[in-house]
Amino acid sequence: MIPRVHERGSRTVGLIFYLYEPGRCEEHIDPHLVAAWDAFAPDPRRHPDATYADLARLLDQPVDALAPSRRPEAHVWHLSVRNSPEDPLLTDEQWADIARRMVAATGIAPTADDTACRWAAVRHADDHIHIVATLVREDGRRPRLNNDAARAQAEARLLEGEYGLRQLNPGDGTAAKRPTSAERHKAARHGRATTPREQLRETVRRAVAGATGESEFVGRLTASGLVVQQRLAPSGDLLGYKVALPDDVNKDGQPVFYPGSKLAPDLSLPRIRERWTAGQPDQGTPLRTSADGPSAARRRTASAAWTAIMLIEDGDDGAAAAVIAAAGEVLDALATTSADHTRRELRDAASSFERASRSHIRTVRGHDRALRRAARDLIHSGPALGQGEDGATTAMVIDMLFFLVTTTVHWHAKKNHAQQAAAARQVGEHLRAAYQNAAAQPLAALHQRGRRLSRPLRQRQSALLREAVPELADRILAEHGWYALAATLADTEAAGHNPATLLADAAESRELDTAHSVSETLAWRLRRAAGLPADTSGDQTTTRPAPRKVSPERPGLRRSRG
């Protein structure tokens, strides 16, 4: 059940007209009153002599009784309450009970208050009602509506349990501001898939990813095609910013601007600046450029994500919150620079993670430096091709980011952040889909190389597997990805590493319960830890010089199982 407090208005009759007429954005079927402040309130559709003006006049009587100077300008309160499509169909009597509960919970008409505000609930569809009220009580006073939206949400959670409706997660006030009804209707009229507010929020979020200062940030906004308005101090310092879409204008033909704070809580200039101070990438380290290649940037991102997982699990809450926020920047940067066949799912993942990146726990910047640098590397290394080493390392980093997101789910769940945990779970589904698209070609090449191994060599790899991870061996050997892992074990040994040691370390250092394929995940971990090429479609492992022997992770960061 979703209650939504709409913007206040000044014309009661205009809202009533909308609720009873056919509707501009959806068809209104059999509109009628289900409840009101007075059992004898006239229903314009059920009483032959009643009109919209009659109902509006009665609702407005307490307002009109005041002297003109005391009347509130925006005196019309509007709440819609909508059920999910899968919810059972409620009767008029049930909706009437819901309406009374909502006006009582929000302060419009507290229970047993005979001098409360006047209100009426109109049902014009099976799945929702609209409640209209006027904001002057019968005794001439104003209602107490502090946090009316939050109180409506809390009441909705109670009603869901009582009526057997879909249980939604309670909000905590950290979500981005949703588009208003007027914004949604305007977007529909202009044929937009999303509202300007939502489109601007996504564009600004991408512009922030990996940026290190105001000029770079504003430059990215301008380069993305937005109209940018800066608020400057007399000294020339930037005090704030607003953005608009060039084709979103008001009735006067002027761009409709949104300040960053109205797009999302963490997109205000002061909050963005926090990333540019304690959390910005190291200034002393030279920035890697496109000459370094997208594949190298993806490998570094996978390593940064690996370390970030440990910070979430073992660090304090402030550090974990900072790392989770920076993970959103990495997802944005990866989506921006990835090939077409993975970009849509990665963009959806980044968009969903936006909700998971904010909570009431204050971020302690500085711990997110590695991930923010990874996001910057991804942007400055340029777009990646969908095949070859670029495509294969994309699959590698997506696989690692999946475990980072899974760790985020567990962290939010422990903190009782229900909405954030649910959003992170949704991100995981998008990453799974993106991984399947990215990994298909490189895994097929590894699979074929594994099948071409001689039978004695495959038997040797099976024995090595049972030695290194005996509890996982049977599961891995039954998976389709076993051949890819067998080929990777052979490559690891050919590169001068001890495959059994690396395999045991790879399995012990991170959980595998959520892996879609344990063998594939271990293959990517081994190839990253041993410095092996991710793409072997050209049998690159036979010509590439053997790298120096490396430990799978930095000293002191290895985790024991359990």
Side-chain angles (χ1 to χ4, degrees):
M1 175 179 289
I2 302 176
R4 182 182 179 88
V5 177
H6 301 261
E7 291 185 1
R8 296 179 185 180
S10 58
R11 294 185 66 249
T12 307
V13 70
L15 178 55
I16 292 174
F17 183 89
Y18 164 73
L19 297 180
Y20 274 95
E21 286 301 296
R24 294 188 297 268
C25 297
E26 58 185 356
E27 186 176 0
H28 295 173
I29 302 172
D30 186 26
H32 58 279
L33 284 183
V34 293
W37 84 101
D38 187 333
F40 298 102
D43 187 341
R45 281 297 179 93
R46 299 294 171 89
H47 292 72
D49 297 329
T51 66
Y52 302 149
D54 292 334
L55 180 56
R57 191 178 304 112
L58 288 171
L59 286 166
D60 281 340
Q61 275 184 354
V63 180
D64 295 336
L66 295 176
S69 61
R70 295 183 56 205
R71 296 172 189 170
E73 181 178 350
H75 68 274
V76 183
W77 184 85
H78 179 198
L79 173 74
S80 61
V81 186
R82 185 182 298 270
N83 283 347
S84 299
E86 64 269 26
D87 284 335
L89 185 65
L90 301 182
T91 65
D92 280 354
E93 291 73 20
Q94 290 172 317
W95 277 117
D97 175 59
I98 290 170
R100 295 187 187 97
R101 295 270 297 269
M102 283 294 177
V103 295
T106 55
I108 290 292
T111 304
D113 186 344
D114 296 333
T115 59
C117 297
R118 296 187 177 189
W119 59 275
V122 178
R123 182 181 188 182
H124 59 206
D126 288 339
D127 63 349
H128 70 279
I129 60 171
H130 291 261
I131 303 173
V132 53
T134 48
L135 298 180
V136 175
R137 293 164 47 90
E138 297 279 9
D139 57 12
R141 295 184 293 121
R142 304 283 183 86
R144 295 182 178 179
L145 296 181
N146 295 335
N147 298 318
D148 54 345
R151 286 188 281 176
Q153 292 287 348
E155 190 67 21
R157 304 293 82 80
L158 298 176
L159 288 164
E160 288 163 355
E162 295 175 20
Y163 280 98
L165 307 176
R166 178 187 174 190
Q167 294 281 154
L168 300 182
N169 294 315
D172 61 2
T174 61
K177 183 177 175 59
R178 294 186 298 180
T180 65
S181 296
E183 291 171 355
R184 289 187 286 108
H185 294 168
K186 181 180 178 181
R189 290 195 305 271
H190 289 84
R192 295 181 184 275
T194 58
T195 64
R197 183 190 296 273
E198 293 167 308
Q199 187 174 343
L200 289 168
R201 179 165 59 240
E202 185 171 342
T203 304
V204 173
R205 204 181 62 234
R206 290 175 186 165
V208 174
T212 57
E214 294 169 3
S215 59
E216 182 179 10
F217 171 59
V218 174
R220 289 186 186 181
L221 293 178
T222 304
S224 66
L226 300 188
V227 181
V228 184
Q229 188 177 90
Q230 301 180 59
R231 184 162 60 90
L232 301 175
S235 62
D237 293 336
L238 183 64
L239 298 178
Y241 75 97
K242 296 180 180 179
V243 289
L245 297 177
D247 58 347
D248 179 35
V249 297
N250 58 23
K251 61 182 180 180
D252 299 321
Q254 298 300 313
V256 180
F257 283 97
Y258 294 81
S261 60
K262 297 298 182 183
L263 298 177
D266 54 348
L267 293 182
S268 67
L269 184 60
R271 294 291 300 277
I272 293 175
R273 277 180 171 147
E274 292 177 3
R275 315 184 196 198
W276 298 338
T277 54
Q280 73 180 32
D282 296 329
Q283 296 298 309
T285 305
L287 176 67
R288 299 176 177 99
T289 64
S290 57
D292 206 17
S295 61
R298 279 154 170 71
R299 283 182 174 273
R300 291 192 295 271
T301 300
S303 296
W306 183 281
T307 304
I309 292 172
M310 299 178 185
L311 283 172
I312 296 174
E313 291 180 337
D314 301 333
D316 58 31
D317 286 349
V323 166
I324 291 171
E329 294 192 46
V330 170
L331 286 170
D332 278 315
L334 188 64
T336 300
T337 58
S338 289
D340 290 342
H341 67 303
T342 57
R343 187 175 301 149
R344 179 175 179 177
E345 291 291 350
L346 289 173
R347 282 185 173 178
D348 288 344
S351 180
S352 297
F353 196 80
E354 188 255 353
R355 181 67 190 94
S357 65
R358 288 190 305 273
S359 69
H360 283 299
I361 295 177
R362 186 71 174 177
T363 59
V364 179
R365 296 294 180 178
H367 300 280
D368 56 348
R369 185 174 289 111
L371 278 182
R372 293 209 70 241
R373 181 167 188 84
R376 185 166 173 79
D377 277 356
L378 289 170
I379 295 293
H380 285 267
S381 295
L385 301 175
Q387 298 180 344
E389 190 69 6
D390 285 359
T393 50
T394 297
M396 177 186 290
V397 72
I398 292 174
D399 181 75
M400 185 58 65
L401 288 173
F402 175 83
F403 287 95
L404 174 57
V405 169
T406 300
T407 306
T408 300
V409 172
H410 296 160
W411 187 81
H412 278 309
K414 287 192 298 184
K415 303 298 177 184
N416 295 317
H417 300 162
Q419 287 194 347
Q420 290 88 339
R425 290 189 190 96
Q426 188 176 7
V427 175
E429 295 307 310
H430 290 303
L431 289 180
R432 282 188 189 276
Y435 171 79
Q436 295 296 330
N437 293 335
Q441 185 271 333
L443 282 178
L446 272 176
H447 180 85
Q448 290 302 318
R449 291 185 63 247
R451 290 187 68 89
R452 290 198 300 266
L453 293 176
S454 65
R455 185 171 182 177
L457 184 53
R458 281 209 307 269
Q459 290 175 338
R460 179 181 172 186
Q461 306 301 353
S462 298
L464 184 152
L465 179 72
R466 294 190 181 279
E467 172 193 347
V469 286
E471 71 282 8
L472 295 173
D474 288 338
R475 176 181 174 181
I476 291 173
L477 290 170
E479 290 182 346
H480 179 78
W482 156 240
Y483 291 104
L485 179 58
T488 297
L489 290 170
D491 292 342
T492 302
E493 187 172 19
H497 300 286
N498 184 324
T501 300
L502 282 185
L503 181 60
D505 288 342
E508 290 178 357
S509 55
R510 281 276 68 76
E511 62 90 15
L512 291 164
D513 294 338
T514 56
H516 175 70
S517 169
V518 174
S519 50
E520 291 179 14
T521 295
L522 290 175
W524 291 126
R525 291 181 184 179
L526 283 179
R527 304 197 78 82
R528 182 182 62 82
L532 300 172
D535 175 52
T536 63
S537 55
D539 287 336
Q540 301 172 39
T541 51
T542 61
T543 58
R544 177 171 173 141
R548 63 182 179 85
K549 295 185 180 181
V550 296
S551 170
E553 304 306 329
R554 291 183 296 146
L557 287 181
R558 179 181 171 187
R559 296 169 54 88
S560 61
R561 185 178 304 277

